[in-house]
Amino acid sequence: MFTGIVEAVGKIVALDSGRDSVRLSVSAAHIAEDVAIGDSVAVNGVCLTVVEIAAPQLTFEAVYETLRRTTLGQRRVGDPVNLERALQTNGRFGGHIVQGHIDGTGRIASIRPVGDSWFVYIEASQDLLRYIVTKGSVCVDGISLTVMDADDKAFSLSIIPHTWENTTLKDRHAGDSVNVETDIIGKYVEKLMGGWAPGGGRGVTLDLLARSGYIEPEPEASRRW
């Protein structure tokens, strides 16, 4: 598990692409001094396993599902990447719960400076936006950020100078794709409340509420499970 507090910005130094996978090596600065083979590191928010160490380089492998859901397949040698080691149990929880399991990608619609900060607007699909709420948490390219505003087409972020200077955000431009991981808590709440269930049913929780008289029961004819 991660917190979305970027520890360092590394640089991709090698890419070896297979048919459905890629092996990438990253110059990881001080991060490489305190990891072992098999450790998890978030690379632009993507949880990857260290398979080789030649300090200061770390090598990872990303398979088809990872490439399909993230921007890793678009990265090139020389590109900067945000890096964070997995959270230690005695560490500070400075961001929010981040799994490194990317839900999908968004597209930067615009970036504009406002005073000492930068407003970043990101367009995303409905599948992502349903879990993004104003003043909630979202992870963008591995950075834990607070949502400034959100509607049915995009969400906005206000970036402070420290975050701007110490992450890859300063290298991004309008039109760039970014990795997005939504708040895991919202997804669990939705499932437990019956928003998702195998076969399209309402879920156990809503049925219990109906039997208790707190909500109207679902008509028998409309049940699909």
Side-chain angles (χ1 to χ4, degrees):
M1 188 180 75
F2 308 92
T3 69
I5 303 301
V6 174
E7 296 184 274
V9 175
K11 182 177 290 187
I12 297 176
V13 296
L15 284 170
D16 183 12
S17 299
R19 187 177 66 177
D20 295 317
S21 64
V22 65
R23 185 179 176 95
L24 66 154
S25 296
V26 176
S27 178
H30 66 279
I31 296 294
E33 299 171 4
D34 188 30
V35 296
I37 300 295
D39 281 357
S40 295
V41 175
V43 180
N44 271 5
V46 185
C47 179
L48 296 177
T49 300
V50 178
V51 298
E52 186 178 316
I53 301 173
Q57 290 182 201
L58 299 176
T59 298
F60 309 89
E61 292 175 336
V63 295
Y64 172 77
E65 174 66 7
T66 301
L67 298 177
R68 183 178 73 87
R69 284 188 175 269
T70 75
T71 64
L72 280 183
Q74 303 170 22
R75 301 278 69 85
R76 299 291 180 263
V77 171
D79 283 354
V81 287
N82 297 316
L83 300 172
E84 182 191 355
R85 291 167 292 186
L87 175 66
Q88 294 181 319
T89 55
N90 63 345
R92 294 183 183 275
F93 206 136
H96 70 283
I97 297 173
V98 176
Q99 295 183 298
H101 303 162
I102 303 301
D103 294 300
T105 60
R107 188 188 72 88
I108 296 177
S110 68
I111 301 175
R112 59 188 180 93
V114 178
D116 292 332
S117 65
W118 287 262
F119 284 4
V120 179
Y121 297 84
I122 299 176
E123 296 174 341
S125 68
Q126 288 293 319
D127 288 345
L128 295 179
L129 290 168
R130 67 189 297 173
Y131 303 113
I132 298 175
V133 298
T134 300
K135 304 306 178 185
S137 295
V138 67
C139 191
V140 176
D141 273 353
I143 311 164
S144 174
L145 296 167
T146 300
V147 178
M148 185 168 64
D149 200 1
D151 58 25
D152 60 350
K153 294 183 176 61
F155 63 96
S156 58
L157 309 162
S158 179
I159 311 300
I160 65 172
H162 176 83
T163 302
W164 183 263
E165 292 297 331
N166 291 280
T167 70
T168 60
L169 280 175
K170 63 181 179 296
D171 302 301
R172 295 286 175 252
H173 304 90
D176 286 352
S177 294
V178 291
N179 294 319
V180 178
E181 180 184 336
T182 59
D183 193 343
I184 184 64
I185 295 174
K187 288 179 279 190
Y188 276 119
V189 170
E190 180 187 55
K191 181 173 180 179
L192 290 171
M193 292 302 294
W196 180 92
R202 300 193 307 166
V204 175
T205 303
L206 289 191
D207 273 1
L208 289 175
L209 291 173
R211 287 200 294 271
S212 302
Y214 289 104
I215 62 174
E216 289 295 319
E218 184 179 14
E220 191 70 27
S222 67
R223 291 177 177 267
R224 292 185 290 174
W225 61 291

